[in-house]
Amino acid sequence: MTDQPTTGNPAPPAQTPQTPKTTRPTILASGSLMTWRGVDLITAAMLAVAFGVMFWGFDTFIYPILSTATAGFPPAGELMLGVWLIPAVVGALVIRRPGAALFTELVAANVELFLGNKWGVAVLLSGVLQGLGVELALALFRHRRFGVVVAVLGGVLAAVFEIVFYEWYSYVADYSMAWKAIYLACGMVSGAAIAGVGGWALVRGLARTGALNAFPPGQEIRESHPV
Amino acid sequence: MSLTRSEPPLAGAPVEVRDGALVEAHGGALVEVRDLTWRPFGRREPVLSGVSLRIEPGSRVLLAGPSGAGKSTLLRALAGVLTTTESGDFSGSVLIDGAPPAGSSVGLMMQDPDDALVAGRAGRDVAFGPESFGMPRDEIWSRVRTALASVGFPYDEDRPTNALSGGETQRLALAGVLALTPRLVLLDEPTSMLDPSSAAIVREAITSAVRASGATLVMVEHELSAVVRGVDRLVVLDPDGRVSADGPVGATLETSSELLVAQGVWVPGVPAPRPLEVDRALCAPAATRSAGVSVSPGDQVLVSAESVSVTRQPRASVMSAKRHLPAVQALVDVCATVSAGECVAVVGPSGAGKSTLTALMAGVDTPTLGQVRAGAALLAGSGTDVPEVIHGWTSRALAARFGWVPQQAEHVVVARTVREDVLSTSRLLGLDDEAMQARVDGLLKVLGLSALAGADPHHLSGGEMRRLALAGAIAHGPSVLVLDEPSVGQDRLTWSAVAGVVVAARDAGVGVVLATHDPLLIALADRLITLSAGRVVDPEAGPSPSPRASALSTVGAATSQGGRWAGLAGRSGPLSVLLASVVLIFGAAFISDLRTALIAVGIQIALAPVVLGVGRPPWFRLLPGLFAVLSVGFSNWLLSPGHELSTGVLAGLRVAFFVLPGVMLAARIDPSTLGDHLGQRLRLPARPVVAAVAALHRFESLGEQWDQLVRIRRVRGLGPGRSPRARGHHLAALTFGLLIQTLRQAGRMAVAMEARGFSAAATATVTAPVGAPARRRTWAESARWLLADSLMLALGLAVAGIPLLLSRF
């Protein structure tokens, strides 16, 4: 709590002068990227819990139906994986600081853990792997790009981390190699479409409503239309 | 609404508190604001412009002005939390005792008591501030006790915070502010969300506690009459964020009363506003407009609730180690009706069941016992496909006849612009568009929303959002209009508009049901239904029993383990339980043959009573895990190279090895305690841990918000059809709505938490609070590693090692 209200955003960085005017400048998180504001932490945690509420509904009412429908071809069930990866992508795109994806996904996994879920404590391991997948995608762009490409890459990497480092050894350990590959492909498609494109669209929609004004995506919208 | 005045102790004198200890009154701060201007990014005009104020130590200042004048913004500036959720251009200076606002010298209390809650138990919640400033444990608890006593908190420190009424929660929030012994106390409409009797108690607590401490007080309140006697100075902000009047309360009120009334401020001594004259045609029911409905004049009952009772079973809880929460009896054997052309007000104290009854009358909730029926007048002309019992109705049938504005009116956003939002239900019902558009424009004009017709509804203020919800509820011409606290947050001018719509609807033949605390609205009603503790009472029958205690009477107590052996897990802390479960995941990777799998799982089953205690296994918890085991077994059999049965069994057992113990052990972990252990034993950074625990406490309230969104969409005719696409769209809209609410709430929580020092330990420029040096966050409760924890972890490691061991032989 200082009395120096910082102008939240330094000059938009990483913009070359040739950048066409149609693209909005990317706004980064204020201050040092590693120094989280209180509102960053609380918002990431609250988003995670809200996703937890939805997961609870999904796990209880929708997933049983869908998983029965895909029982004849189990890898198709992996087409739903992306739903669980959304918190990581949304957390990362909203907060725009290293660790945001991991923190959001891990708190969301905790909600599932405490409510009771079918995988037990393993959801925490999944949460860590999924969060790290998205973190890697953002790190590859040096935390300077938060568009749909990064979101899709994040969703894909989250799926890859989850499946290759965990599910291949646990849930599908005895699949033939070909089926493991199909299973992975299904997860990647889901991660790209549901978590990547879906998460990105969600953040954009939220920013338009003014609900993200305290965060870079909301500031980008505001800068383009002051009221 | 009279304030009981107690004789204030002399400022600066020692003050005796309830438990006998003597505390120094810490006195008040000098506040100096010089030429403060603040323009948030994205706005053209500043919210505050050139504000200068000098507030002497110990004085009590009331800050008034029309909505949007920047009152809350000024309070946030004084608290040093202006930039918590906003960034912008700041000029001028704010000095508290000659220094920038920082540390524990300033306390801020917000409008909605729920925004301040951070913990599951009262004492721990009050401890948040002292913890943030790194005070030693003894001091934390002595401050907690003193603060709770000073606000007259009626329960002990272990009281669960989700079992408090609004007024009690607000007193708890006040205690949380006072625990830091601030020299400047800032209150932002602290009683606006409370019913009159709770509000009076909270005001009394504020007056006595702040006087006892001698702190300087700055309070924002739009209902001036309730608070003018507790303050000695009035500062008025005009709509441009400038100080337009400043001086002693009496004199300032006299000189600026006329101006304040013109701006819509509720000023004491000025006659109550009258409902606006609204054209009845704007509010007439569609049924009578379209066709002359022939209903016998004697049978005008639209809706009747017949002996309805509602018992609420709380949704699965994240926070309680015993996850069976007791059911709550919200309504007991209530009969109520509303007829065409009458206005019924449902009144009673908070928690009496007003919202529950009105939701039933609006057809959006289902009674546990009894029925809510539609009368002949409501069913007339609707054909035979609509049943008499309302809760079986389709979304469309409901929308055609009902309009409902819930208490949390900010949830009611169903379209991209204000105008589209108000039109949406009419469009879904296929009503004549041209006439409808004229009607909608008329309603927007009456409710003062014309200028905002093209705006995104999400950008409206709270009061505007409530009027939008009212417009959306009446525009399509329902026969029944149900409004839950429609006048909250309205100024004198908009109050007239809201009351005008209510009166016009009634006169046009709509049956209106209001749940309200507002005496002016109650005076407009034709009939009252008085509720107390979920039952209808005769208002003439004298004082009702204490509402909260019996309204929350529990049905079926929580299941208790009694004195039975709760297992090693019952004696261990959360960390060892968690670690023991996690190591099993890694152990499972070494299960590579059926013999190993069978032995390993067999040993686990044998150990289960030792670890988990004796008793019937909770199948409802295990069922999803067992299903997971079966599905993994099946798919591995199906997709393995050899299609052998043993492969499937092996895969299933491998998953069972870590999933089933993990499911059972997770049920024993209490998230708050886990947070304490993660922070103290593993030394994880305190802020993320504290933020996560505070957020987890919101699980239930977010779940309720979800339910509310579902109800609103249903009554607006937006309930999902049967097609998967419609359902998907419905879910997406709900998700979006919930996330918006979540983000808003997170912002308010962040302000409340920062004002209590959430980031104090992380910020370098913290000034040391009274009696404690600035340093790392401390924890009010210890997190010891016990012998049972070592045993638990050792057992986990031993069991996890079984597969590795067996694979060697």
Side-chain angles (χ1 to χ4, degrees), chain B residues 33-37 47-53 74 92-93 235 237 241-243:
Chain B
V33 180
R34 283 196 206 115
D35 209 21
L36 172 62
T37 298
V47 176
L48 294 173
S49 81
V51 173
S52 292
L53 278 178
L74 181 55
S93 70
V235 174
L237 292 183
R242 294 169 204 279
V243 176

PDB file of all heavy atoms in Angstrom, chain B residues 33-37 47-53 74 92-93 235 237 241-243:
ATOM      1  N   VAL B  33      -6.057  16.238   2.847  1.00  0.00           N
ATOM      2  CA  VAL B  33      -6.157  15.952   1.415  1.00  0.00           C
ATOM      3  C   VAL B  33      -5.937  17.268   0.688  1.00  0.00           C
ATOM      4  O   VAL B  33      -6.620  18.249   0.974  1.00  0.00           O
ATOM      5  CB  VAL B  33      -7.550  15.390   1.058  1.00  0.00           C
ATOM      6  CG1 VAL B  33      -7.648  15.091  -0.429  1.00  0.00           C
ATOM      7  CG2 VAL B  33      -7.847  14.144   1.877  1.00  0.00           C
ATOM      8  N   ARG B  34      -4.975  17.281  -0.224  1.00  0.00           N
ATOM      9  CA  ARG B  34      -4.698  18.525  -0.942  1.00  0.00           C
ATOM     10  C   ARG B  34      -4.861  18.338  -2.435  1.00  0.00           C
ATOM     11  O   ARG B  34      -4.139  17.558  -3.046  1.00  0.00           O
ATOM     12  CB  ARG B  34      -3.262  18.994  -0.640  1.00  0.00           C
ATOM     13  CG  ARG B  34      -3.189  19.631   0.723  1.00  0.00           C
ATOM     14  CD  ARG B  34      -1.911  20.437   0.914  1.00  0.00           C
ATOM     15  NE  ARG B  34      -1.653  20.463   2.357  1.00  0.00           N
ATOM     16  CZ  ARG B  34      -0.608  19.890   2.932  1.00  0.00           C
ATOM     17  NH1 ARG B  34       0.281  19.276   2.205  1.00  0.00           N
ATOM     18  NH2 ARG B  34      -0.461  19.955   4.243  1.00  0.00           N
ATOM     19  N   ASP B  35      -5.845  19.039  -2.977  1.00  0.00           N
ATOM     20  CA  ASP B  35      -6.007  19.127  -4.420  1.00  0.00           C
ATOM     21  C   ASP B  35      -5.980  17.753  -5.107  1.00  0.00           C
ATOM     22  O   ASP B  35      -5.316  17.564  -6.123  1.00  0.00           O
ATOM     23  CB  ASP B  35      -4.877  20.021  -4.977  1.00  0.00           C
ATOM     24  CG  ASP B  35      -5.347  20.735  -6.241  1.00  0.00           C
ATOM     25  OD1 ASP B  35      -6.578  20.853  -6.417  1.00  0.00           O
ATOM     26  OD2 ASP B  35      -4.485  21.148  -7.031  1.00  0.00           O
ATOM     27  N   LEU B  36      -6.712  16.848  -4.533  1.00  0.00           N
ATOM     28  CA  LEU B  36      -6.705  15.475  -5.040  1.00  0.00           C
ATOM     29  C   LEU B  36      -7.552  15.363  -6.312  1.00  0.00           C
ATOM     30  O   LEU B  36      -8.732  15.695  -6.329  1.00  0.00           O
ATOM     31  CB  LEU B  36      -7.261  14.537  -3.962  1.00  0.00           C
ATOM     32  CG  LEU B  36      -7.516  13.085  -4.362  1.00  0.00           C
ATOM     33  CD1 LEU B  36      -6.231  12.407  -4.782  1.00  0.00           C
ATOM     34  CD2 LEU B  36      -8.169  12.329  -3.216  1.00  0.00           C
ATOM     35  N   THR B  37      -6.924  14.891  -7.369  1.00  0.00           N
ATOM     36  CA  THR B  37      -7.627  14.650  -8.628  1.00  0.00           C
ATOM     37  C   THR B  37      -7.308  13.239  -9.091  1.00  0.00           C
ATOM     38  O   THR B  37      -6.155  12.807  -9.025  1.00  0.00           O
ATOM     39  CB  THR B  37      -7.205  15.675  -9.703  1.00  0.00           C
ATOM     40  OG1 THR B  37      -7.564  16.981  -9.236  1.00  0.00           O
ATOM     41  CG2 THR B  37      -7.911  15.416 -11.022  1.00  0.00           C
ATOM     42  N   VAL B  47     -12.923  11.384 -11.694  1.00  0.00           N
ATOM     43  CA  VAL B  47     -13.938  10.995 -10.715  1.00  0.00           C
ATOM     44  C   VAL B  47     -13.870  11.947  -9.517  1.00  0.00           C
ATOM     45  O   VAL B  47     -14.883  12.322  -8.946  1.00  0.00           O
ATOM     46  CB  VAL B  47     -13.714   9.543 -10.262  1.00  0.00           C
ATOM     47  CG1 VAL B  47     -14.702   9.167  -9.166  1.00  0.00           C
ATOM     48  CG2 VAL B  47     -13.896   8.614 -11.452  1.00  0.00           C
ATOM     49  N   LEU B  48     -12.651  12.330  -9.147  1.00  0.00           N
ATOM     50  CA  LEU B  48     -12.459  13.330  -8.098  1.00  0.00           C
ATOM     51  C   LEU B  48     -11.697  14.471  -8.727  1.00  0.00           C
ATOM     52  O   LEU B  48     -10.725  14.230  -9.451  1.00  0.00           O
ATOM     53  CB  LEU B  48     -11.628  12.752  -6.943  1.00  0.00           C
ATOM     54  CG  LEU B  48     -12.258  11.624  -6.136  1.00  0.00           C
ATOM     55  CD1 LEU B  48     -11.241  11.066  -5.157  1.00  0.00           C
ATOM     56  CD2 LEU B  48     -13.488  12.114  -5.396  1.00  0.00           C
ATOM     57  N   SER B  49     -12.143  15.705  -8.456  1.00  0.00           N
ATOM     58  CA  SER B  49     -11.347  16.767  -9.045  1.00  0.00           C
ATOM     59  C   SER B  49     -11.102  17.887  -8.049  1.00  0.00           C
ATOM     60  O   SER B  49     -12.031  18.490  -7.519  1.00  0.00           O
ATOM     61  CB  SER B  49     -11.952  17.239 -10.360  1.00  0.00           C
ATOM     62  OG  SER B  49     -12.979  18.115 -10.176  1.00  0.00           O
ATOM     63  N   GLY B  50      -9.837  18.062  -7.746  1.00  0.00           N
ATOM     64  CA  GLY B  50      -9.402  19.139  -6.869  1.00  0.00           C
ATOM     65  C   GLY B  50      -9.995  19.087  -5.473  1.00  0.00           C
ATOM     66  O   GLY B  50     -10.360  20.111  -4.906  1.00  0.00           O
ATOM     67  N   VAL B  51     -10.090  17.900  -4.897  1.00  0.00           N
ATOM     68  CA  VAL B  51     -10.656  17.777  -3.551  1.00  0.00           C
ATOM     69  C   VAL B  51      -9.607  18.152  -2.507  1.00  0.00           C
ATOM     70  O   VAL B  51      -8.502  17.618  -2.513  1.00  0.00           O
ATOM     71  CB  VAL B  51     -11.149  16.332  -3.299  1.00  0.00           C
ATOM     72  CG1 VAL B  51     -11.584  16.163  -1.851  1.00  0.00           C
ATOM     73  CG2 VAL B  51     -12.285  15.996  -4.244  1.00  0.00           C
ATOM     74  N   SER B  52      -9.959  19.110  -1.644  1.00  0.00           N
ATOM     75  CA  SER B  52      -9.088  19.454  -0.518  1.00  0.00           C
ATOM     76  C   SER B  52      -9.901  19.377   0.760  1.00  0.00           C
ATOM     77  O   SER B  52     -11.014  19.880   0.823  1.00  0.00           O
ATOM     78  CB  SER B  52      -8.524  20.873  -0.679  1.00  0.00           C
ATOM     79  OG  SER B  52      -7.630  20.900  -1.765  1.00  0.00           O
ATOM     80  N   LEU B  53      -9.348  18.711   1.746  1.00  0.00           N
ATOM     81  CA  LEU B  53     -10.047  18.510   3.014  1.00  0.00           C
ATOM     82  C   LEU B  53      -9.019  18.469   4.133  1.00  0.00           C
ATOM     83  O   LEU B  53      -7.927  17.946   3.943  1.00  0.00           O
ATOM     84  CB  LEU B  53     -10.749  17.159   3.032  1.00  0.00           C
ATOM     85  CG  LEU B  53     -12.104  16.958   2.381  1.00  0.00           C
ATOM     86  CD1 LEU B  53     -12.482  15.491   2.534  1.00  0.00           C
ATOM     87  CD2 LEU B  53     -13.144  17.838   3.037  1.00  0.00           C
ATOM     88  N   LEU B  74     -13.121   8.461  -2.962  1.00  0.00           N
ATOM     89  CA  LEU B  74     -12.386   9.264  -1.985  1.00  0.00           C
ATOM     90  C   LEU B  74     -12.003   8.409  -0.780  1.00  0.00           C
ATOM     91  O   LEU B  74     -10.872   8.499  -0.274  1.00  0.00           O
ATOM     92  CB  LEU B  74     -13.235  10.474  -1.558  1.00  0.00           C
ATOM     93  CG  LEU B  74     -12.599  11.421  -0.545  1.00  0.00           C
ATOM     94  CD1 LEU B  74     -11.242  11.919  -1.026  1.00  0.00           C
ATOM     95  CD2 LEU B  74     -13.516  12.618  -0.268  1.00  0.00           C
ATOM     96  N   GLY B  92      -2.122  15.569  -6.687  1.00  0.00           N
ATOM     97  CA  GLY B  92      -2.446  16.034  -5.349  1.00  0.00           C
ATOM     98  C   GLY B  92      -1.867  15.085  -4.319  1.00  0.00           C
ATOM     99  O   GLY B  92      -1.057  14.205  -4.657  1.00  0.00           O
ATOM    100  N   SER B  93      -2.277  15.247  -3.061  1.00  0.00           N
ATOM    101  CA  SER B  93      -1.701  14.375  -2.042  1.00  0.00           C
ATOM    102  C   SER B  93      -2.729  14.024  -0.979  1.00  0.00           C
ATOM    103  O   SER B  93      -3.698  14.747  -0.749  1.00  0.00           O
ATOM    104  CB  SER B  93      -0.499  15.062  -1.383  1.00  0.00           C
ATOM    105  OG  SER B  93      -0.956  16.145  -0.596  1.00  0.00           O
ATOM    106  N   VAL B 235     -19.629  16.616   4.695  1.00  0.00           N
ATOM    107  CA  VAL B 235     -18.946  17.048   3.476  1.00  0.00           C
ATOM    108  C   VAL B 235     -19.774  16.542   2.299  1.00  0.00           C
ATOM    109  O   VAL B 235     -20.112  15.361   2.244  1.00  0.00           O
ATOM    110  CB  VAL B 235     -17.512  16.479   3.404  1.00  0.00           C
ATOM    111  CG1 VAL B 235     -16.874  16.812   2.063  1.00  0.00           C
ATOM    112  CG2 VAL B 235     -16.670  17.017   4.548  1.00  0.00           C
ATOM    113  N   LEU B 237     -20.147  16.036  -1.781  1.00  0.00           N
ATOM    114  CA  LEU B 237     -19.488  16.020  -3.094  1.00  0.00           C
ATOM    115  C   LEU B 237     -20.558  16.226  -4.169  1.00  0.00           C
ATOM    116  O   LEU B 237     -21.656  15.689  -4.061  1.00  0.00           O
ATOM    117  CB  LEU B 237     -18.788  14.683  -3.338  1.00  0.00           C
ATOM    118  CG  LEU B 237     -17.577  14.349  -2.469  1.00  0.00           C
ATOM    119  CD1 LEU B 237     -16.985  13.006  -2.913  1.00  0.00           C
ATOM    120  CD2 LEU B 237     -16.512  15.428  -2.571  1.00  0.00           C
ATOM    121  N   GLY B 241     -17.451  15.390  -8.703  1.00  0.00           N
ATOM    122  CA  GLY B 241     -16.366  14.988  -7.831  1.00  0.00           C
ATOM    123  C   GLY B 241     -15.662  16.150  -7.158  1.00  0.00           C
ATOM    124  O   GLY B 241     -14.465  16.077  -6.860  1.00  0.00           O
ATOM    125  N   ARG B 242     -16.390  17.250  -6.932  1.00  0.00           N
ATOM    126  CA  ARG B 242     -15.813  18.377  -6.192  1.00  0.00           C
ATOM    127  C   ARG B 242     -16.541  18.515  -4.870  1.00  0.00           C
ATOM    128  O   ARG B 242     -17.709  18.153  -4.760  1.00  0.00           O
ATOM    129  CB  ARG B 242     -16.019  19.688  -6.948  1.00  0.00           C
ATOM    130  CG  ARG B 242     -15.291  19.776  -8.240  1.00  0.00           C
ATOM    131  CD  ARG B 242     -15.789  20.989  -9.022  1.00  0.00           C
ATOM    132  NE  ARG B 242     -15.535  20.794 -10.433  1.00  0.00           N
ATOM    133  CZ  ARG B 242     -14.353  21.024 -11.003  1.00  0.00           C
ATOM    134  NH1 ARG B 242     -13.357  21.499 -10.298  1.00  0.00           N
ATOM    135  NH2 ARG B 242     -14.170  20.789 -12.285  1.00  0.00           N
ATOM    136  N   VAL B 243     -15.886  19.141  -3.899  1.00  0.00           N
ATOM    137  CA  VAL B 243     -16.547  19.411  -2.633  1.00  0.00           C
ATOM    138  C   VAL B 243     -17.474  20.600  -2.845  1.00  0.00           C
ATOM    139  O   VAL B 243     -17.031  21.673  -3.238  1.00  0.00           O
ATOM    140  CB  VAL B 243     -15.507  19.736  -1.534  1.00  0.00           C
ATOM    141  CG1 VAL B 243     -16.231  20.117  -0.244  1.00  0.00           C
ATOM    142  CG2 VAL B 243     -14.607  18.534  -1.301  1.00  0.00           C
TER     143      VAL B 243
END
